[in-house]
Amino acid sequence: MKYLTGAVVLLLVQVLVGLGLLYSGIISVAASEPHSSLVRWVLDTGKERSIRNHAKGLRPPGLELAGQAEEGFLAYNQMCVICHGAPGVERSELGKGLRPTGPDLSESVRHRKPEELFWTVKHGIKFTGMPAWGETHSDEELWAIVAFIDQLPSLSPDEYRQLVRNAAEGGAEHGHDSVQESAP
Ligand code: HEC
Protein backbone atom coordinates (compact mmCIF):
# COMPACT_ATOMS: atom_id res chain seq x y z
CA MET A 1 0.00 0.00 0.00
CA LYS A 2 2.86 2.33 0.96
CA TYR A 3 4.49 1.64 -2.43
CA LEU A 4 1.23 2.23 -4.26
CA THR A 5 0.74 5.61 -2.56
CA GLY A 6 4.36 6.49 -3.40
CA ALA A 7 3.83 5.59 -7.07
CA VAL A 8 0.63 7.66 -7.30
CA VAL A 9 2.34 10.68 -5.67
CA LEU A 10 5.29 10.32 -8.08
CA LEU A 11 2.94 10.15 -11.05
CA LEU A 12 1.07 13.25 -9.86
CA VAL A 13 4.35 15.16 -9.42
CA GLN A 14 5.38 14.17 -12.97
CA VAL A 15 2.04 15.30 -14.39
CA LEU A 16 2.31 18.61 -12.51
CA VAL A 17 5.89 19.19 -13.69
CA GLY A 18 4.76 18.41 -17.27
CA LEU A 19 1.82 20.80 -17.04
CA GLY A 20 4.09 23.42 -15.44
CA LEU A 21 6.53 23.17 -18.36
CA LEU A 22 3.70 23.35 -20.87
CA TYR A 23 2.05 26.43 -19.32
CA SER A 24 5.35 28.21 -18.61
CA GLY A 25 5.94 28.73 -22.36
CA ILE A 26 9.54 27.51 -22.04
CA ILE A 27 8.97 24.86 -24.73
CA SER A 28 9.71 26.45 -28.09
CA VAL A 29 7.35 25.97 -31.03
CA ALA A 30 9.80 27.79 -33.35
CA ALA A 31 9.99 26.10 -36.76
CA SER A 32 13.43 27.71 -37.12
CA GLU A 33 14.82 25.14 -34.64
CA PRO A 34 14.97 21.39 -35.29
CA HIS A 35 12.91 19.06 -33.07
CA SER A 36 14.78 17.60 -30.12
CA SER A 37 15.77 13.97 -30.68
CA LEU A 38 13.12 12.80 -28.18
CA VAL A 39 10.29 14.70 -29.91
CA ARG A 40 11.54 13.53 -33.32
CA TRP A 41 11.59 9.92 -32.10
CA VAL A 42 8.03 10.15 -30.74
CA LEU A 43 6.71 11.78 -33.95
CA ASP A 44 8.60 9.42 -36.28
CA THR A 45 7.60 6.29 -34.39
CA GLY A 46 3.95 7.37 -34.30
CA LYS A 47 4.05 8.21 -38.00
CA GLU A 48 5.71 4.95 -39.06
CA ARG A 49 3.33 2.77 -37.02
CA SER A 50 0.26 4.70 -38.09
CA ILE A 51 1.07 4.64 -41.81
CA ARG A 52 1.88 0.91 -41.77
CA ASN A 53 -1.25 0.08 -39.80
CA HIS A 54 -3.66 2.17 -41.86
CA ALA A 55 -2.26 1.14 -45.25
CA LYS A 56 -2.81 -2.55 -44.44
CA GLY A 57 -5.39 -4.09 -46.72
CA LEU A 58 -5.19 -1.40 -49.43
CA ARG A 59 -4.81 -2.96 -52.88
CA PRO A 60 -2.58 -0.99 -55.29
CA PRO A 61 -3.61 -1.10 -58.95
CA GLY A 62 -0.73 -1.82 -61.38
CA LEU A 63 1.66 1.14 -61.20
CA GLU A 64 3.41 0.38 -64.46
CA LEU A 65 0.80 2.12 -66.65
CA ALA A 66 2.79 4.79 -68.50
CA GLY A 67 -0.29 7.02 -68.92
CA GLN A 68 -0.91 6.97 -65.20
CA ALA A 69 2.64 8.02 -64.36
CA GLU A 70 2.41 10.82 -66.93
CA GLU A 71 -0.69 12.27 -65.27
CA GLY A 72 1.05 11.73 -61.96
CA PHE A 73 4.02 13.78 -63.12
CA LEU A 74 1.80 16.78 -63.96
CA ALA A 75 0.23 16.66 -60.51
CA TYR A 76 3.59 16.09 -58.79
CA ASN A 77 5.24 18.97 -60.61
CA GLN A 78 2.41 21.31 -59.68
CA MET A 79 1.58 20.24 -56.13
CA CYS A 80 4.52 18.41 -54.55
CA VAL A 81 7.81 19.85 -55.85
CA ILE A 82 7.33 22.96 -53.73
CA CYS A 83 7.97 20.90 -50.56
CA HIS A 84 9.65 17.70 -51.77
CA GLY A 85 11.81 18.88 -54.68
CA ALA A 86 12.52 16.60 -57.66
CA PRO A 87 15.63 15.37 -59.52
CA GLY A 88 17.63 18.55 -60.14
CA VAL A 89 14.93 20.75 -58.52
CA GLU A 90 15.32 22.20 -55.01
CA ARG A 91 12.45 22.64 -52.57
CA SER A 92 10.92 26.14 -52.70
CA GLU A 93 11.43 28.74 -49.97
CA LEU A 94 8.17 27.59 -48.40
CA GLY A 95 9.38 23.97 -48.38
CA LYS A 96 12.75 24.89 -46.89
CA GLY A 97 11.13 26.71 -43.97
CA LEU A 98 9.03 23.75 -42.82
CA ARG A 99 9.96 21.70 -39.75
CA PRO A 100 10.08 18.83 -40.51
CA THR A 101 10.91 19.50 -44.15
CA GLY A 102 9.30 17.28 -46.79
CA PRO A 103 11.63 14.34 -47.40
CA ASP A 104 13.17 13.42 -50.76
CA LEU A 105 10.51 11.03 -52.05
CA SER A 106 12.95 9.01 -54.16
CA GLU A 107 14.30 7.86 -50.76
CA SER A 108 10.80 7.18 -49.41
CA VAL A 109 10.04 4.87 -52.35
CA ARG A 110 12.91 2.64 -51.24
CA HIS A 111 11.43 1.89 -47.83
CA ARG A 112 7.67 2.31 -48.37
CA LYS A 113 5.14 0.10 -50.13
CA PRO A 114 2.97 1.79 -52.81
CA GLU A 115 -0.10 1.45 -50.58
CA GLU A 116 1.74 3.29 -47.76
CA LEU A 117 2.64 6.12 -50.13
CA PHE A 118 -0.97 6.22 -51.33
CA TRP A 119 -2.40 6.35 -47.81
CA THR A 120 0.01 9.14 -46.82
CA VAL A 121 -0.75 11.21 -49.92
CA LYS A 122 -4.49 10.74 -49.45
CA HIS A 123 -4.66 11.50 -45.72
CA GLY A 124 -1.61 13.72 -45.10
CA ILE A 125 0.31 13.81 -41.80
CA LYS A 126 -1.05 15.76 -38.84
CA PHE A 127 1.19 18.39 -37.21
CA THR A 128 3.40 18.61 -40.30
CA GLY A 129 3.05 20.56 -43.54
CA MET A 130 1.94 17.40 -45.40
CA PRO A 131 -1.60 18.07 -46.71
CA ALA A 132 -4.40 15.50 -47.13
CA TRP A 133 -4.79 15.45 -50.93
CA GLY A 134 -7.71 13.02 -50.74
CA GLU A 135 -9.99 15.92 -49.78
CA THR A 136 -9.61 17.39 -53.28
CA HIS A 137 -8.49 14.48 -55.47
CA SER A 138 -9.94 11.12 -56.52
CA ASP A 139 -8.22 7.83 -55.67
CA GLU A 140 -7.37 7.41 -59.38
CA GLU A 141 -5.53 10.73 -59.39
CA LEU A 142 -3.65 9.83 -56.22
CA TRP A 143 -2.61 6.39 -57.52
CA ALA A 144 -1.31 8.16 -60.65
CA ILE A 145 0.88 10.34 -58.40
CA VAL A 146 2.13 7.21 -56.62
CA ALA A 147 2.88 5.64 -60.03
CA PHE A 148 5.04 8.67 -60.82
CA ILE A 149 6.78 8.74 -57.41
CA ASP A 150 7.61 5.08 -57.97
CA GLN A 151 9.75 6.15 -60.96
CA LEU A 152 11.58 8.96 -59.13
CA PRO A 153 14.68 6.93 -58.10
CA SER A 154 15.47 6.13 -61.75
CA LEU A 155 14.81 9.67 -63.08
CA SER A 156 17.83 11.89 -63.78
CA PRO A 157 17.73 15.71 -63.50
CA ASP A 158 17.94 15.90 -67.30
CA GLU A 159 15.00 13.53 -67.74
CA TYR A 160 12.94 15.51 -65.22
CA ARG A 161 13.76 18.77 -67.04
CA GLN A 162 12.69 17.12 -70.30
CA LEU A 163 9.34 16.10 -68.78
CA VAL A 164 8.79 19.71 -67.65
CA ARG A 165 9.68 21.00 -71.14
CA ASN A 166 7.40 18.46 -72.88
CA ALA A 167 4.51 19.41 -70.60
CA ALA A 168 5.06 23.13 -71.23
CA GLU A 169 5.29 22.65 -75.01
CA GLY A 170 2.19 20.44 -75.08
CA GLY A 171 0.33 22.88 -72.82
CA ALA A 172 -0.33 19.98 -70.41
CA GLU A 173 -1.37 20.92 -66.90
CA HIS A 174 -2.64 19.02 -63.93
CA GLY A 175 -6.40 19.45 -64.16
CA HIS A 176 -9.14 17.42 -62.53
CA ASP A 177 -11.14 16.97 -65.74
CA SER A 178 -8.32 15.57 -67.86
CA VAL A 179 -7.17 13.24 -65.10
CA GLN A 180 -10.66 11.91 -64.38
CA GLU A 181 -11.33 11.35 -68.10
CA SER A 182 -8.28 9.11 -68.36
CA ALA A 183 -9.05 7.23 -65.14
CA PRO A 184 -10.37 3.67 -65.53
C1 HEC B 1 3.38 22.21 -47.93
C2 HEC B 1 4.39 21.19 -48.01
C3 HEC B 1 4.07 19.87 -48.63
C4 HEC B 1 3.45 19.63 -49.82
C5 HEC B 1 2.91 20.65 -50.81
C6 HEC B 1 3.48 18.21 -50.00
N1 HEC B 1 4.08 17.60 -48.93
FE1 HEC B 1 4.41 15.60 -48.69
N2 HEC B 1 5.24 15.94 -46.87
C7 HEC B 1 5.48 17.19 -46.34
C8 HEC B 1 6.16 17.03 -45.09
C9 HEC B 1 6.59 18.15 -44.18
C10 HEC B 1 6.33 15.64 -44.89
C11 HEC B 1 7.12 14.96 -43.80
C12 HEC B 1 6.42 14.76 -42.53
C13 HEC B 1 7.32 14.06 -41.51
O1 HEC B 1 8.53 13.97 -41.67
O2 HEC B 1 6.77 13.61 -40.57
C14 HEC B 1 5.74 14.99 -46.03
C15 HEC B 1 5.70 13.62 -46.19
C16 HEC B 1 5.26 12.99 -47.34
C17 HEC B 1 5.31 11.55 -47.57
C18 HEC B 1 5.83 10.50 -46.59
C19 HEC B 1 7.28 10.30 -46.85
C20 HEC B 1 7.96 9.38 -45.89
O3 HEC B 1 8.89 8.69 -46.30
O4 HEC B 1 7.61 9.35 -44.71
C21 HEC B 1 4.83 11.34 -48.83
C22 HEC B 1 4.70 9.99 -49.53
C23 HEC B 1 4.47 12.63 -49.38
N3 HEC B 1 4.75 13.60 -48.46
C24 HEC B 1 3.98 12.82 -50.64
C25 HEC B 1 3.56 14.06 -51.15
C26 HEC B 1 2.95 14.23 -52.44
C27 HEC B 1 2.75 13.12 -53.46
C28 HEC B 1 2.64 15.55 -52.56
C29 HEC B 1 1.94 16.24 -53.70
C30 HEC B 1 0.68 15.69 -54.12
C31 HEC B 1 3.07 16.21 -51.34
N4 HEC B 1 3.63 15.27 -50.51
C32 HEC B 1 2.97 17.57 -51.11
C33 HEC B 1 5.14 18.40 -46.89
C34 HEC B 1 4.47 18.59 -48.07
Side-chain angles (χ1 to χ4, degrees):
M1 190 65 195
K2 205 167 68 182
Y3 290 117
L4 189 64
T5 315
V8 170
V9 169
L10 190 65
L11 191 69
L12 272 176
V13 170
Q14 284 172 340
V15 169
L16 284 175
V17 169
L19 282 173
L21 274 175
L22 195 64
Y23 276 92
S24 71
I26 294 174
I27 300 170
S28 172
V29 293
S32 53
E33 299 160 10
H35 285 305
S36 68
S37 40
L38 178 66
V39 171
R40 190 68 240 188
W41 178 81
V42 170
L43 295 178
D44 278 349
T45 308
K47 178 182 73 172
E48 291 305 322
R49 297 297 164 129
S50 175
I51 292 176
R52 245 178 274 161
N53 181 41
H54 286 91
K56 254 191 245 157
L58 284 173
R59 295 274 165 275
L63 296 179
E64 64 287 349
L65 301 170
Q68 243 198 349
E70 202 179 299
E71 288 295 345
F73 157 73
L74 295 175
Y76 185 88
N77 195 42
Q78 191 168 317
M79 307 189 304
C80 320
V81 169
I82 187 172
C83 289
H84 290 283
V89 185
E90 275 195 33
R91 295 172 184 85
S92 70
E93 288 175 0
L94 183 155
K96 285 181 184 165
L98 287 177
R99 206 71 60 220
T101 44
D104 176 350
L105 295 184
S106 55
E107 287 301 319
S108 303
V109 169
R110 297 181 210 278
H111 70 270
R112 288 211 186 286
K113 295 182 183 151
E115 55 269 37
E116 294 175 358
L117 294 170
F118 172 82
W119 188 87
T120 311
V121 179
K122 181 166 180 172
H123 297 284
I125 304 175
K126 274 188 187 134
F127 296 120
T128 76
M130 175 58 190
W133 297 98
E135 309 211 342
T136 45
H137 292 75
S138 67
D139 282 2
E140 285 79 6
E141 289 172 294
L142 300 182
W143 278 117
I145 297 175
V146 173
F148 175 71
I149 299 176
D150 198 47
Q151 300 188 352
L152 273 178
S154 58
L155 214 57
S156 70
D158 274 349
E159 287 167 331
Y160 193 85
R161 261 193 300 277
Q162 190 58 48
L163 286 175
V164 174
R165 265 198 299 272
N166 292 349
E169 280 163 15
E173 270 188 35
H174 165 64
H176 290 187
D177 289 344
S178 60
V179 173
Q180 271 161 5
E181 272 161 26
S182 68

